[in-house]
Amino acid sequence: MRLKELALHLGLSQTTVSRALNGYPEVNEETRQRVLDAARRYDYRPNASARRLATGRAGAIGIVLPTDRNMLLDPHYIEFQAGLGERLMKDEIDIVLSPSKAGDEMATYRRMAISSRVDAVILSSPTVDDPRIALLTELGLPFVVHGRTNSPLDYAWLDIDNEGAFRHAAKHLLDLGHRRIGLINGETRHNFALERDRGFRRALAAHGVEVDEDLVAEGIMSDETGYRITARFLAQRPRPTALLVSSMMMSLGALRAIRSAGLELGRDISMIAHDDVIPFLNPDAMVPTMSTTRSSIRAAGTRVAELLMEIIVDGRSPASIHELWPVDLVVRASTGPVPRD
Amino acid sequence: MRLKELALHLGLSQTTVSRALNGYPEVNEETRQRVLDAARRYDYRPNASARRLATGRAGAIGIVLPTDRNMLLDPHYIEFQAGLGERLMKDEIDIVLSPSKAGDEMATYRRMAISSRVDAVILSSPTVDDPRIALLTELGLPFVVHGRTNSPLDYAWLDIDNEGAFRHAAKHLLDLGHRRIGLINGETRHNFALERDRGFRRALAAHGVEVDEDLVAEGIMSDETGYRITARFLAQRPRPTALLVSSMMMSLGALRAIRSAGLELGRDISMIAHDDVIPFLNPDAMVPTMSTTRSSIRAAGTRVAELLMEIIVDGRSPASIHELWPVDLVVRASTGPVPRD
DNA sequence: GGGAGCATTCAAAGCGCTTTCAATCTCGCG
DNA sequence: CGCGAGATTGAAAGCGCTTTGAATGCTCCC
């Protein structure tokens, strides 16, 4: 069923039918009802491509999907996507994933922009000096960054307070008497990891505790990395008495290493992990329950979608969008006072 | 830059430029070069919507993204997506995610089809009697199922041999002398879980071992579920001496429960888990290394994309597409002979 | 010399929608 | 009764591409 046919059936012009369907005010209420009824009866849907061509709006937002491992192995990503979807659904906006080889992402963004496949894009976990910011700005394709970089440009972003989160977490451990605290971080080429590193160091500095660089490590946020780094940390003497871990996934590996070393979490060693609130990694379900810095990545997705809509639909200026979300410190059973030996 | 302008610059008609760009044979080789050069120089890209409208092909394949938890919590999904992307990239085909509320998926498929937003869709982890098969068949929207159902309709699918995988795994354990074997499965409303259950039972039956229903359980494939079920199993007397687990994620929880019970994996109790080959869950990196039934979900994604392209582009008949992939049994350190007590 | 046959190119007609601009009709008021 | 304003509808012009059908030159052969 095409608009033309529908109009024919109704004995109306395409113009009127189109207007009725799209909620324009200048159509008679009775006519509108007739049109809506007919549309429903015939299960009419405007052709997406035609509408896009006519309006110039794509009705979709884009995400460039790097197909190499490094970025994707992140199980958090899917939660974020779900959050996005939750909001975008309301306006029938699609998410377009554009697969791209590792080095080729810039070209993919360019392609998305120039062929106007999408109305805006989302940038996730930017690196410290992310070149995509400049590119997109230049291309004039609206975007919202989930995270921040130190780009001098003014762009829309939503981020959680990674620095504050790890500062508070470290302070909490220091207050419990811990002095040898290890940091198991994500890769510091990503800005969030750098922020966490910063927060960690600030807290220690504020307490007059010197950072032992042998107790600071980073890697992709996997179970395996968590295990390896923790095992290495635990081999040191004196042993660290507490760990700050950048993801729940890593904390799983860390926990294995702790057990392998014959230690008990929450008594012999304390741990605080960052929790993105992913359903299959529930800190309350762990044994012992895990103390965390918590911020829902799904909620962030929803909000990013909301912001995107404001930019696209309401024409809100991206430069005015800066949201820094505070992060909760949730104390559970994995943290305790420093053990006396 | 539009086609029209490009043509003007070149002193050619749109027709010729379009043909040159799209590789039609009837254009002079020298002319084609000129056109391609100019296109590159001006960074020309055809407008996606216009092309779609003109050709009637969307240049995208769709995935309905349920935004409720149950389905998405699956970290496997993202690997599959990456696999898809790997292949689709070659032809500049997009993946369109259409967010949808839990009960509303059928409507979303319908919408995708009728508004011809996509050329085909992918169905993942179908339930035993998945209504989507009938719907899509009726809508005439091409699709490939990753998995199978017992629909009477003839549709394109690619699946791994879940039944065989768990049959072999169980047989291996039986051969090692195990008789009390627990099954920790995914939800049996999904067909893959049902198949695994079936394989498990067949192996036991073939050995004349009766299934203890108290040692068969299912749930969403999370760390937490693995922990809970295993803890319950281990409380029984006599204790199971081996476990068959439906995902690596679950096996992490199972391992925690085993350790909490003071048992040693690979000596006191054996375990085989299904491994979808997800980078952040590496069985070789576990301690002890994990015996698995292995099949790369990413490779499946790539192949599904390939099949989709064959259907869309080459017009291959979906009914002829049935691929059942064998599953490797990889024996590592988590399996051993039944312990003598 | 005159076509046949081929290689190239082009003008114009869509694809299915939205939107501008114009037309028609109705009604209230002086 | 005539007219302007307001309400409602329509014809037609795009949006930027692909593709059909026709035109133009050329070469080649009898």
Side-chain angles (χ1 to χ4, degrees):
Chain A
M1 174 65 58
R2 302 285 166 234
L3 183 61
K4 196 172 174 181
E5 307 169 54
L6 185 61
L8 214 63
H9 276 289
L10 283 160
L12 288 169
S13 70
Q14 290 192 42
T15 311
T16 305
V17 177
S18 171
R19 280 183 180 136
L21 256 23
N22 291 308
Y24 280 69
E26 65 265 44
V27 23
N28 185 299
E29 213 35 62
E30 189 189 327
T31 312
R32 186 193 305 281
Q33 273 316 318
R34 270 182 57 220
V35 172
L36 289 176
D37 284 353
R40 197 164 313 113
R41 193 165 57 253
Y42 293 115
D43 204 3
Y44 167 78
R45 291 270 178 189
N47 175 296
S49 306
R51 162 179 259 167
R52 284 168 186 176
L53 181 57
T55 59
R57 307 216 285 106
I61 62 103
I63 297 179
V64 171
L65 187 79
T67 52
D68 67 316
R69 319 235 128 187
N70 270 341
M71 223 141 185
L72 262 193
L73 48 76
D74 202 335
H76 309 135
Y77 172 70
I78 192 83
E79 262 302 284
F80 181 77
Q81 212 173 73
L84 274 180
E86 215 162 68
R87 171 63 184 79
L88 261 23
M89 195 172 29
K90 256 198 281 184
D91 294 272
E92 300 208 345
I93 301 284
D94 292 325
I95 301 173
V96 172
L97 299 182
S98 224
S100 161
K101 268 201 270 274
D104 221 30
E105 299 153 41
M106 303 289 279
T108 308
Y109 279 108
R110 174 164 244 117
R111 180 177 135 243
M112 277 194 152
I114 300 185
S115 63
S116 59
R117 238 163 254 263
V118 297
D119 297 318
V121 296
I122 290 173
L123 246 59
S124 280
S125 33
T127 57
V128 179
D129 271 302
D130 205 303
R132 297 176 294 175
I133 309 263
L135 175 70
L136 289 172
T137 306
E138 181 205 322
L139 287 173
L141 184 63
F143 64 98
V144 171
V145 182
H146 179 213
R148 273 173 298 171
T149 73
N150 59 11
S151 164
L153 296 156
D154 204 358
Y155 56 90
W157 54 262
L158 179 155
D159 199 2
I160 62 173
D161 184 9
N162 284 297
E163 192 273 336
F166 271 48
R167 186 156 39 77
H168 289 148
K171 176 172 186 307
H172 178 66
L173 292 170
L174 289 160
D175 289 347
L176 286 168
H178 296 275
R179 288 300 173 269
R180 289 194 52 74
I181 304 177
L183 173 65
I184 303 180
N185 207 348
E187 298 171 285
T188 48
R189 65 194 184 91
H190 291 301
N191 201 64
F192 74 88
L194 203 62
E195 293 283 349
R196 290 175 186 180
D197 182 80
R198 200 167 287 154
F200 170 74
R201 287 172 194 276
R202 287 206 181 128
L204 264 61
H207 264 251
V209 175
E210 200 171 338
V211 174
D212 179 351
E213 296 299 339
D214 287 341
L215 287 182
V216 175
E218 63 176 81
I220 57 170
M221 301 201 288
S222 69
D223 175 275
E224 185 177 348
T225 307
Y227 180 83
R228 291 223 176 117
I229 295 178
T230 306
R232 204 174 77 215
F233 282 4
L234 294 180
Q236 297 185 31
R237 292 294 174 275
R239 240 188 344 233
T241 63
L243 297 174
L244 227 47
V245 183
S246 235
S247 87
M248 287 293 292
M249 203 67 215
M250 280 177 146
S251 80
L252 249 33
L255 186 47
R256 283 199 289 126
I258 288 169
R259 290 220 169 108
S260 292
L263 301 175
E264 190 184 325
L265 181 63
R267 195 193 59 188
D268 305 319
I269 188 165
S270 288
M271 176 150 81
I272 300 180
H274 183 74
D275 174 20
D276 293 289
V277 194
I278 298 181
F280 65 89
L281 282 173
N282 181 354
D284 275 312
M286 300 192 62
V287 183
T289 59
M290 186 71 67
S291 297
T292 59
T293 52
R294 180 181 62 191
S295 181
S296 163
I297 197 167
R298 188 187 183 102
T302 306
R303 181 64 184 150
V304 166
E306 180 74 39
L307 293 171
L308 236 18
M309 294 303 294
E310 288 180 11
I311 294 176
I312 301 174
V313 181
D314 313 334
R316 175 167 177 193
S317 155
S320 73
I321 296 176
H322 308 295
E323 285 195 14
L324 187 62
W325 288 14
V327 176
D328 300 333
L329 175 62
V330 184
V331 177
R332 297 195 183 81
S334 67
T335 40
V338 72
R340 318 183 222 165
D341 40 11
Chain B
M1 174 65 57
R2 301 287 166 234
L3 183 61
K4 197 172 173 182
E5 306 170 53
L6 186 60
L8 214 61
H9 276 289
L10 284 160
L12 288 169
S13 71
Q14 289 193 42
T15 313
T16 304
V17 177
S18 171
R19 281 187 179 132
L21 255 23
N22 291 308
Y24 281 69
E26 64 265 47
V27 23
N28 184 301
E29 212 35 60
E30 188 188 329
T31 311
R32 185 193 305 281
Q33 273 316 318
R34 270 182 59 220
V35 171
L36 289 177
D37 285 352
R40 198 165 310 116
R41 194 165 57 251
Y42 294 115
D43 205 3
Y44 167 77
R45 289 273 177 185
N47 176 295
S49 305
R51 163 179 258 164
R52 284 167 186 175
L53 181 57
T55 59
R57 308 215 285 106
I61 63 103
I63 296 179
V64 172
L65 187 79
T67 52
D68 65 317
R69 317 236 131 189
N70 270 340
M71 224 141 184
L72 261 193
L73 47 75
D74 200 335
H76 308 136
Y77 172 70
I78 193 82
E79 262 302 284
F80 181 77
Q81 214 174 71
L84 273 180
E86 216 162 68
R87 171 62 185 80
L88 260 23
M89 194 173 30
K90 256 197 283 184
D91 293 272
E92 301 208 343
I93 301 284
D94 293 325
I95 301 173
V96 172
L97 299 182
S98 224
S100 161
K101 268 200 271 273
D104 220 28
E105 298 154 41
M106 304 289 278
T108 308
Y109 279 108
R110 175 165 243 115
R111 180 178 135 243
M112 277 193 152
I114 300 184
S115 63
S116 58
R117 236 164 255 262
V118 297
D119 297 318
V121 296
I122 290 172
L123 247 59
S124 279
S125 34
T127 58
V128 180
D129 271 303
D130 205 303
R132 296 175 295 175
I133 309 263
L135 174 70
L136 289 171
T137 306
E138 181 205 322
L139 288 173
L141 184 63
F143 64 99
V144 171
V145 182
H146 179 215
R148 273 172 297 171
T149 73
N150 59 10
S151 164
L153 296 156
D154 203 359
Y155 57 90
W157 54 261
L158 179 155
D159 200 2
I160 62 172
D161 184 10
N162 285 297
E163 192 272 336
F166 271 48
R167 185 154 40 75
H168 290 145
K171 176 171 183 309
H172 178 66
L173 293 170
L174 288 160
D175 289 346
L176 287 169
H178 296 276
R179 289 301 173 266
R180 289 196 48 75
I181 305 176
L183 173 66
I184 303 179
N185 207 349
E187 298 171 286
T188 48
R189 67 195 182 90
H190 292 300
N191 202 62
F192 75 87
L194 204 63
E195 293 283 349
R196 291 175 185 181
D197 183 81
R198 200 168 288 152
F200 170 74
R201 289 171 193 277
R202 286 207 181 128
L204 264 61
H207 264 252
V209 176
E210 199 169 340
V211 174
D212 179 352
E213 297 299 338
D214 288 340
L215 289 182
V216 174
E218 63 177 82
I220 57 170
M221 301 201 288
S222 69
D223 175 275
E224 185 177 349
T225 308
Y227 180 83
R228 290 222 176 117
I229 295 178
T230 306
R232 205 174 77 216
F233 282 4
L234 293 181
Q236 296 186 30
R237 293 292 174 275
R239 238 186 347 230
T241 64
L243 297 175
L244 227 47
V245 183
S246 235
S247 86
M248 288 292 293
M249 202 68 214
M250 279 176 146
S251 80
L252 249 33
L255 185 49
R256 283 199 290 126
I258 288 169
R259 291 220 167 109
S260 293
L263 300 175
E264 190 184 324
L265 181 62
R267 194 192 60 190
D268 306 320
I269 188 165
S270 289
M271 175 150 81
I272 300 179
H274 183 74
D275 174 21
D276 293 289
V277 194
I278 298 181
F280 66 87
L281 282 172
N282 180 354
D284 276 312
M286 300 193 61
V287 184
T289 59
M290 185 72 66
S291 298
T292 60
T293 52
R294 180 183 62 191
S295 181
S296 162
I297 198 168
R298 188 187 183 103
T302 306
R303 181 64 185 151
V304 165
E306 180 74 39
L307 292 170
L308 235 19
M309 295 304 294
E310 288 180 11
I311 295 177
I312 300 173
V313 180
D314 314 334
R316 175 167 177 192
S317 155
S320 73
I321 295 177
H322 308 295
E323 284 195 15
L324 188 62
W325 288 13
V327 176
D328 299 333
L329 175 62
V330 183
V331 177
R332 297 194 184 82
S334 68
T335 40
V338 73
R340 319 184 221 166
D341 39 12

